Amino acid sequence: MPISMYPDTKTWNSFLGCKFDCKYCEKSFKRVLKRVGRNIGCDKCYRYIPHIHPERLGKIPSSPIVFVFGQGEIYFCPPHFVRKTFKAIDAHNPRKPKIYYFQSKAPSVFNLYLDLFLENQDKVILLTTLETNRDEGYREISKAPFPTMRFHDFFELDYPRKVLTIEPVLDFDLEEFVEMVLMLHRQGTLEYVWFGFDSKNCGLPEPSIEKAQKFVDVLHSNGIEIRGKSLRGVMLKETEK
Ligand code: SF4
């Protein structure tokens, strides 16, 4: 079942599941997959165990943006299946050009498929989630690679089209976090940033609204486009192109 996570976007769930156990996943992806798993009788969906659904390879959603493995983490996907996924993308002939998002909290995994991404760079954007710059306390939130390592791997990735998802935002150090985003911006690879608070009341350590506002204002004043979700009153400005 394709799911809409962002405007104009639907997930393509031919691979699903994850073992990073983010605290905020319980009320979002895991909850949705519990329901789906029960409805379709898939125990691995129900328990969010990484697994493939090859019968969905030929069913690419009709949305302008396709979130590939949107309810899963590509880090846990068998490599042969990622390559099969690209064959399905190649074979797909949509009426209008599409954009494919590949997102990971372990972005070093993208290096395994860099040849495929580069061949398709007109339609592929790579994303990582970076909720904070802080490693301290992060194991309370997730088993994914620490934020500083994740940032390093994403920064070092030799790919020209990147998006940063800062959602759900966790408390951060203003200067350090701004500098991380600016480094990607100066690299010339950052297309935009998603920014938003936890919408599910998961009890996360969050920044104040004032700090979040300062953060987006500084990014904006540096010409970075920010798209928002669950903003709790934080104001985003139009970015001058
Ligand atoms: S990395 Fe994504 S899919 Fe995996 S547990 Fe965290 S939120 Fe869920």
Side-chain angles (χ1 to χ4, degrees):
M1 180 187 65
I3 293 166
S4 184
M5 291 165 66
Y6 298 104
D8 294 332
T9 305
K10 288 232 161 81
T11 56
W12 180 27
N13 294 314
S14 52
F15 163 81
L16 308 97
C18 179
K19 297 186 198 170
F20 285 152
D21 286 333
C22 301
K23 189 172 172 183
Y24 50 83
C25 198
E26 287 294 335
K27 290 187 179 178
S28 53
F29 296 160
K30 286 186 183 175
R31 180 172 287 177
V32 171
L33 261 287
K34 256 198 171 66
R35 201 174 58 235
V36 172
R38 197 182 295 122
N39 288 345
I40 66 172
C42 177
D43 183 55
K44 287 184 174 163
C45 279
Y46 185 83
R47 292 192 287 143
Y48 213 57
I49 293 171
H51 66 294
I52 58 174
H53 274 279
E55 76 281 5
R56 297 178 185 168
L57 275 178
K59 296 178 186 163
I60 298 181
S62 57
S63 52
I65 304 172
V66 175
F67 214 123
V68 184
F69 313 149
Q71 250 72 33
E73 165 56 64
I74 187 174
Y75 181 77
F76 298 106
C77 183
H80 80 273
F81 196 74
V82 177
R83 293 192 176 268
K84 272 194 171 171
T85 300
F86 267 96
K87 287 207 172 113
I89 290 173
D90 280 347
H92 190 52
N93 196 9
R95 264 184 288 141
K96 288 188 185 162
K98 281 182 186 295
I99 294 291
Y100 294 87
Y101 283 179
F102 285 79
Q103 177 156 293
S104 177
K105 278 204 182 81
S108 62
V109 75
F110 291 143
N111 285 304
L112 293 177
Y113 313 110
L114 216 44
D115 57 328
L116 296 171
F117 295 137
L118 287 167
E119 273 166 29
N120 291 282
Q121 63 180 273
D122 58 317
K123 50 181 176 279
V124 170
I125 296 181
L126 301 183
L127 301 88
T128 197
T129 303
L130 199 66
E131 311 95 320
T132 175
N133 68 297
R134 293 181 181 167
D135 290 348
E136 203 183 330
Y138 192 73
R139 279 290 168 265
E140 307 284 311
I141 304 293
S142 171
K143 296 177 189 157
F146 282 114
T148 54
M149 174 185 272
R150 203 181 305 161
F151 171 74
H152 173 268
D153 291 344
F154 196 56
F155 181 77
E156 290 297 322
L157 194 67
D158 194 6
Y159 191 73
R161 305 191 67 186
K162 302 177 187 176
V163 164
L164 205 51
T165 304
I166 302 176
E167 192 222 344
V169 64
L170 303 177
D171 200 7
F172 54 81
D173 303 292
L174 186 62
E175 272 182 37
E176 286 86 341
F177 204 20
V178 164
E179 181 54 22
M180 282 176 164
V181 185
L182 288 184
M183 278 174 72
L184 279 168
H185 181 58
R186 288 193 291 260
Q187 189 183 53
T189 58
L190 187 64
E191 299 206 355
Y192 54 89
V193 169
W194 281 108
F195 182 87
F197 285 88
D198 166 29
S199 58
K200 311 278 184 203
N201 298 319
C202 298
L204 305 175
E206 296 181 324
S208 64
I209 303 296
E210 293 71 27
K211 196 198 252 187
Q213 185 69 62
K214 267 190 201 151
F215 179 70
V216 299
D217 285 349
V218 178
L219 298 188
H220 175 261
S221 67
N222 280 277
I224 296 172
E225 180 184 345
I226 305 172
R227 303 182 187 180
K229 276 176 82 181
S230 306
L231 288 169
R232 298 207 196 137
V234 170
M235 307 290 288
L236 302 183
K237 297 177 195 157
E238 290 275 309
T239 305
E240 289 155 31
K241 305 261 173 180

